[in-house]
Amino acid sequence: MEIPSVSLRSAWPTVPWSCLERGSQRPSFRRQCRDGSHPVLPVSPSAQRNSCRKKLKVSQDFLLSTYVLTLPVAASTFLPLRGIHDRIEIRMEARMTNTSGGTVRKPKSPPPEADRVVRTVCSPNCMGTCGVNAHVRNDRIIKLEPASFPDPGFERICLRGIAMATERLHHPDRISHPLIRAGERGANVWRQVSWDEAYDYILNRQQAIAERHGWRSNAWVSMTGNYAFRASTSARRMANVVGGTYFSKLGLTADSAAYMGMRAIFGVDYASNDISEVGQAKFLLSVGKNVVDTGHSEMHFLFDAMERGLKFTMVDPRFSRSAAKADEWLAPHPGTDVALALGMIHVVVSEGLIDEAYVVTHTNAPFLVREADGACLRDENGEYLVWDLAAAAPVPAGAAISPALRGSWTVSQRGEEIDCVTAFSLSWREWEAFTPQHAASICGVPPEQIASVAREYATTEPAWLWVGYGPQRYAQGHTVVRAWATLASLCGNIGKPHAGMNTNDGPLMLLLFSPTAEWVTPQGRVGHSLPGTRMVEAIASGEPYPVKSLWMSAYNFGTQSPLLKRFVREALPNLDLFVVSEQVMTDAAVYADVVLPCVSYYEDDWDVVGNIENWYVQLRRRAVPPVGESRNDVDIFGGVCDRLQLGHIWNVDPEQSCRDYLSNHTDPRIRAVDFEALKRDGVARVPVDRPYTPFRDQKFATPSGRIELYQEQFADLDEAVLKAKPQAESGQRDRFPFHLITYKHTHSTHSQHTILPMIAEVLPEPRLEIAPTDAARRNIADGDVVRVFNDRGHFVVKANVSNGVPPGTLAMPQGWWKRHFASGHPSDLGHIPESPVQTRIAETNYSVWDFMCDVEKEEQP
């Protein structure tokens, strides 16, 4: 009997996690659960032999036209025992195959012939940005397959993309015509209207608000449901054109703490190697980057690298799929990454493993700092001073022959005696206490494992450090990124090929975060901006000025924000107008006065989409006509501008806007994209050096021009020195002893896919994962209905008792709608605590996981 394994090489499409779980497990698997048990059933000898070094030749026609995938799995194939995944129905067929077999049975009948095939881009904010060929028949997508790429390694597709193309476009809840509320807000009672009537309704109210309060009292907010440049920036552009207010999405994404941590230490918001080059690294330390779930279109690069000898170490509180595939797993308590990183920093410093020459030359660690106030010492020209051992005196950093990394001195300057210490020595006063034993007492990772991983990271070259978004979803999230960046910097790994401190990068970030002025502020028209994470407060309080209308697009606020209940209770009554542009009636849209039908990306035409893991841009072209009267965001807002006599400012030919956006971009790499090649092929590479290595020139856009391990601008906030601080609600642990992690997963991007029938077949309902010890103390059995709660809210869900989560932690996939719960919703438990440091940098990040809760068995009637 042959046990097939799955090739993750570029020639074959990515298959669902179900197949990967069963076929590609490495025989070097050596993790253990916290209770010491081995987390998988025994692997048969043939599975060992055929582990991920052989190919399962999966027919693309079969994969892409059979929407609920059925794959041959021999009876002895192992199944990882990881909580909720044990009970998902994948419709796996276990049947005998001969030793020469291993191919997949094709469907009985071939897929119907298509009228046309259109190359376009799937981009639901999973960041995979898969190029796809949409096979269309009678204006419906009947099949999806990977589109051609210059690098075949990026020819990928997944079940989510197939479900989106074949089910969401014509979902029963699809909005196909403009709607105006015909009952109370939230009653979900509507009357269908024409676009003209909808525009009249909107403009009558917006203009009345403008007459009373000015146009700035009309506001827009958009999110990341569609991250092509035209779609994603259109709401901001609209606010600028009319002089309205744009609530920024930066903090609402719950990703911006990573950007702010990077900005403070490196002077840029993001930096990362090209994922296709991970095979050149020797050691990968992945911190909360659950690539198997959240980057599964590109995870084959990682698996191929492991076959070539890469050591993959995963840091994740949960026994995630990435942890299951890793060579080593570190499981810190949620929100304790800084303590873990400081424990590793202690090891590399105390054992002499740091690259002192690099630290002295390229960081501000040798800068002299005033003991009195934490300010860096400067000369009369504003130059940073260091203690030069050769001169035995303070000299400008750039002129020092032998800068001291450690030490303290009294410096005479302009008649004042100033006690000074190097930034490194000042930092060490805090870090010295974080021995592996002390760090372990906070984070729960064994001290010997902290020390061994620190040594391996510091002594292996090249060592790739990869930090995901999960660890920064706490109130001190910026500090998490800073901590790991500090470790990478002390080891001299910044600016080295296939090493570095990696978060994300690529043209997507440049297209969205650095939009051209010609596009986003046409003819120099600039509106107003307020932090999105303070949106509800601003509307409810009328400060700093009244906001009386809100237009929301590409944002299911009802499931992806902790503030819906407060918005309905405190902000909505203050709004004279609430408009939502949507594809389906979401949990937020039901509260709107007007709902406008918006196209999906398969119905949109002429937009440019970037990626965060590689350097390709792709061109979106329309695969099928818009459903009903749906329009894209640019055209929807254009209808308002036409009626305001601003059409001459707003309207730009779609193709020309794409061409101009690239050719006028502020970044020369984007300007260098060959638009004609992009138009012809649907994909073009941004010309960057290979290997792509951020900071290769060791230039940093910080005040000092160096890596700023010490951050004097936060001295008054007690964060000049990197330190571990308690979580926002750690003081409530006696009342609410659990953390809740609502994690990203392979079956849905946020809330976009959980309502689709195809996805419901593999993930039919939410399940709360709870450790066996915690479940036993609360008399909770697997499958019991439980209530999760704190002072802000609750939700009711079935429990799944699992060794995949540590004691004191609850976990569940995120993106579920209110309809999926008997009562309440997980977002009701959350909040957005203010972060003074983040506010000073940009704005407070939505710290999704920084709250405490409790769980109890729900008594059934």
Side-chain angles (χ1 to χ4, degrees):
M1 180 164 56
E2 181 80 355
I3 296 187
S5 60
V6 177
S7 170
L8 298 172
R9 300 188 186 281
S10 60
W12 303 100
T14 296
V15 298
W17 69 265
S18 54
C19 183
L20 298 179
E21 301 283 21
R22 293 156 173 77
S24 63
Q25 182 66 56
R26 289 168 55 84
S28 60
F29 184 85
R30 54 178 207 268
R31 279 72 57 211
Q32 288 187 329
C33 291
R34 291 174 181 271
D35 62 1
S37 62
H38 205 280
V40 298
L41 295 175
V43 182
S44 71
S46 58
Q48 293 277 3
R49 289 194 303 271
N50 293 292
S51 170
C52 67
R53 289 177 173 80
K54 291 185 179 292
K55 294 180 179 179
L56 171 63
K57 295 187 177 180
V58 181
S59 160
Q60 287 197 8
D61 284 342
F62 176 68
L63 276 174
L64 303 174
S65 62
T66 305
Y67 303 133
V68 179
L69 304 176
T70 302
L71 300 169
V73 177
S76 59
T77 303
F78 65 87
L79 174 66
L81 301 179
R82 290 202 293 287
I84 191 169
H85 315 316
D86 309 340
R87 57 182 63 252
I88 294 175
E89 303 252 340
I90 304 293
R91 301 210 330 224
M92 301 292 292
E93 291 185 357
R95 62 177 183 267
M96 300 293 291
T97 61
N98 59 45
T99 55
S100 63
T103 57
V104 177
R105 183 178 60 191
K106 292 185 177 181
K108 293 180 180 179
S109 59
E113 293 297 323
D115 300 328
R116 60 187 181 276
V117 178
V118 180
R119 191 198 194 284
T120 188
V121 191
C122 182
S123 57
N125 197 29
C126 69
M127 301 300 182
T129 316
C130 295
V132 294
N133 290 332
H135 293 242
V136 181
R137 184 184 185 192
N138 297 330
D139 288 337
R140 287 208 176 202
I141 297 174
I142 60 171
K143 188 174 83 167
L144 216 62
E145 67 181 4
S148 176
F149 254 84
D151 180 348
F154 293 107
E155 294 174 6
R156 298 289 153 180
I157 201 170
C158 78
L159 187 62
R160 286 181 299 194
I162 297 170
M164 179 68 80
T166 59
E167 293 185 339
R168 186 173 169 111
L169 266 67
H170 301 282
H171 193 276
D173 293 342
R174 182 67 193 267
I175 300 166
S176 56
H177 304 279
L179 303 173
I180 291 179
R181 176 170 56 87
E184 296 297 318
R185 282 171 167 169
N188 202 19
V189 179
W190 309 92
R191 62 184 180 90
Q192 180 178 316
V193 300
S194 66
W195 274 101
D196 286 338
E197 184 176 351
Y199 280 136
D200 288 343
Y201 185 98
I202 293 169
L203 277 168
N204 286 341
R205 284 154 181 78
Q206 285 185 328
Q207 288 176 315
I209 290 167
E211 289 174 2
R212 293 195 307 272
H213 306 287
W215 266 100
R216 69 178 183 175
S217 291
N218 291 296
W220 284 259
V221 63
S222 66
M223 280 294 282
T224 56
N226 183 345
Y227 55 82
F229 97 84
R230 280 166 47 90
S232 187
T233 59
S234 59
R236 178 179 171 188
R237 185 173 188 252
M238 180 66 189
N240 284 332
V241 167
V242 301
T245 293
Y246 179 68
F247 284 109
S248 72
K249 69 181 70 173
L250 186 66
L252 287 172
T253 64
D255 300 338
S256 63
Y259 307 146
M260 290 183 274
M262 291 288 287
R263 187 187 304 179
I265 194 167
F266 296 124
V268 299
D269 289 1
Y270 41 83
S272 185
N273 301 329
D274 189 318
I275 181 61
S276 66
E277 298 168 359
V278 69
Q280 304 305 313
K282 298 299 182 184
F283 182 82
L284 171 63
L285 179 59
S286 178
V287 182
K289 180 74 172 181
N290 182 12
V291 64
V292 178
D293 267 339
T294 63
H296 56 269
S297 294
E298 288 145 357
M299 65 189 178
H300 65 99
F301 290 116
L302 171 56
F303 289 169
D304 286 349
M306 294 172 72
E307 290 187 42
R308 291 195 291 269
L310 173 75
K311 169 72 178 291
F312 173 28
T313 297
M314 184 70 197
V315 179
D316 196 327
R318 299 171 45 248
F319 189 57
S320 63
R321 296 190 181 102
S322 293
K325 301 299 180 186
D327 295 301
E328 187 167 2
W329 173 42
L330 285 72
H333 299 315
T336 62
D337 287 79
V338 177
L340 174 60
L342 285 173
M344 293 188 183
I345 288 170
H346 188 282
V347 171
V348 300
V349 173
S350 60
E351 296 185 8
L353 300 178
I354 69 171
D355 187 338
E356 290 206 13
Y358 182 90
V359 173
V360 166
T361 304
H362 298 297
T363 82
N364 69 349
F367 286 9
L368 294 175
V369 178
R370 295 171 177 264
E371 292 271 18
D373 59 10
C376 291
L377 192 67
R378 296 170 173 82
D379 65 11
E380 61 276 7
N381 297 317
E383 298 289 331
Y384 293 94
L385 297 178
V386 299
W387 188 266
D388 190 348
L389 296 173
V395 300
I401 297 173
S402 181
L405 184 60
R406 302 169 177 83
S408 60
W409 301 268
T410 299
V411 175
S412 297
Q413 191 177 66
R414 293 183 287 277
E416 179 184 3
E417 297 294 307
I418 304 171
D419 291 330
C420 295
V421 62
T422 67
F424 182 86
S425 290
L426 184 59
S427 298
W428 184 246
R429 293 176 188 172
E430 175 73 23
W431 303 345
E432 189 174 15
F434 275 85
T435 63
Q437 291 73 22
H438 179 58
S441 70
I442 298 172
C443 72
V445 178
E448 58 274 10
Q449 192 177 31
I450 294 174
S452 67
V453 172
R455 295 185 191 109
E456 193 165 15
Y457 174 74
T459 58
T460 305
E461 292 188 7
W464 182 310
L465 178 57
W466 209 1
V467 179
Y469 284 151
Q472 55 90 61
R473 290 196 166 107
Y474 297 88
Q476 292 295 315
H478 60 285
T479 309
V480 172
V481 174
R482 178 185 178 186
W484 293 109
T486 297
L487 175 65
S489 301
L490 290 173
C491 294
N493 277 335
I494 306 303
K496 287 184 177 180
H498 314 121
M501 164 66 183
N502 302 277
T503 52
N504 56 45
D505 208 331
L508 183 145
M509 309 304 291
L510 295 172
L511 292 174
L512 301 190
F513 288 88
S514 303
T516 62
E518 293 85 350
W519 170 256
V520 79
T521 56
Q523 297 188 18
R525 299 178 74 97
V526 179
H528 306 266
S529 182
L530 291 174
T533 46
R534 303 271 76 88
M535 179 176 71
V536 172
E537 293 178 8
I539 297 172
S541 67
E543 298 293 337
Y545 50 82
V547 173
K548 306 303 289 184
S549 84
L550 179 66
W551 193 325
M552 186 176 289
S553 61
Y555 187 16
N556 189 356
F557 185 73
T559 65
Q560 302 307 119
S561 167
L563 302 176
L564 178 65
K565 291 200 304 184
R566 188 178 172 197
F567 174 81
V568 173
R569 183 177 64 248
E570 300 177 23
L572 192 59
N574 283 357
L575 291 177
D576 297 337
L577 176 68
F578 180 33
V579 181
V580 173
S581 301
E582 255 301 349
Q583 297 169 16
V584 295
M585 190 60 68
T586 66
D587 291 341
V590 296
Y591 292 99
D593 301 309
V594 182
V595 178
L596 301 177
C598 185
V599 300
S600 72
Y601 36 79
Y602 291 111
E603 305 156 82
D604 201 2
D605 204 11
W606 289 109
D607 215 334
V608 178
V609 186
N611 195 287
I612 65 169
E613 304 288 5
N614 63 54
W615 282 92
Y616 288 102
V617 294
Q618 297 181 75
L619 187 63
R620 171 169 295 149
R621 297 306 312 271
R622 176 174 292 151
V624 292
V627 171
E629 296 184 90
S630 301
R631 299 180 180 181
N632 66 33
D633 291 299
V634 177
D635 291 343
I636 290 174
F637 294 136
V640 174
C641 290
D642 287 342
R643 285 161 174 76
L644 291 173
Q645 306 302 311
L646 297 173
H648 62 290
I649 297 174
W650 180 267
N651 295 321
V652 182
D653 175 74
E655 178 182 349
Q656 191 62 43
S657 68
C658 293
R659 185 186 298 272
D660 292 345
Y661 197 82
L662 298 179
S663 63
N664 296 329
H665 201 274
T666 56
D667 193 291
R669 296 170 294 182
I670 298 296
R671 292 199 301 272
V673 171
D674 184 341
F675 185 80
E676 292 305 319
L678 177 63
K679 181 178 176 181
R680 180 188 67 243
D681 301 330
V683 59
R685 183 170 174 83
V686 179
V688 295
D689 293 337
R690 302 293 297 264
Y692 178 70
T693 306
F695 311 119
R696 187 192 289 265
D697 59 2
Q698 298 297 335
K699 294 180 179 178
F700 305 94
T702 57
S704 66
R706 298 184 176 209
I707 299 170
E708 299 209 335
L709 303 181
Y710 180 81
Q711 296 173 5
E712 66 171 331
Q713 67 270 36
F714 305 129
D716 61 319
L717 300 176
D718 193 32
E719 288 198 25
V721 170
L722 169 65
K723 58 181 60 178
K725 289 189 172 183
Q727 297 158 52
E729 295 192 337
S730 57
Q732 299 193 36
R733 190 175 295 274
D734 290 342
R735 296 178 59 218
F736 302 113
F738 289 95
H739 285 279
L740 173 63
I741 297 176
T742 50
Y743 56 86
K744 305 291 180 67
H745 56 107
T746 194
H747 302 299
S748 182
T749 301
H750 303 301
S751 64
Q752 294 187 50
H753 299 85
T754 51
I755 63 169
L756 304 181
M758 194 182 302
I759 300 302
E761 291 200 42
V762 296
L763 192 64
E765 63 181 355
R767 286 285 187 121
L768 182 80
E769 299 161 32
I770 182 172
T773 53
D774 291 331
R777 282 195 293 268
R778 285 162 172 74
N779 194 31
I780 295 171
D782 196 74
D784 281 349
V785 177
V786 298
R787 178 175 176 266
V788 184
F789 63 95
N790 61 18
D791 287 338
R792 287 180 291 272
H794 78 280
F795 65 96
V796 175
V797 67
K798 288 183 181 179
N800 183 53
V801 180
S802 169
N803 277 316
V805 292
T809 299
L810 306 173
M812 65 182 300
Q814 67 102 16
W816 298 102
W817 295 36
K818 289 185 179 296
R819 69 180 70 170
H820 293 114
F821 298 92
S823 178
H825 191 271
S827 64
D828 294 342
L829 280 66
H831 62 150
I832 306 180
E834 180 76 18
S835 167
V837 170
Q838 293 173 13
T839 298
R840 184 171 294 180
I841 299 172
E843 68 175 270
T844 290
N845 189 48
Y846 169 24
S847 46
V848 182
W849 297 340
D850 205 336
F851 66 86
M852 306 300 293
C853 61
D854 203 351
V855 60
E856 62 185 9
K857 187 173 181 178
E858 180 85 343
E859 296 300 328
Q860 298 298 301

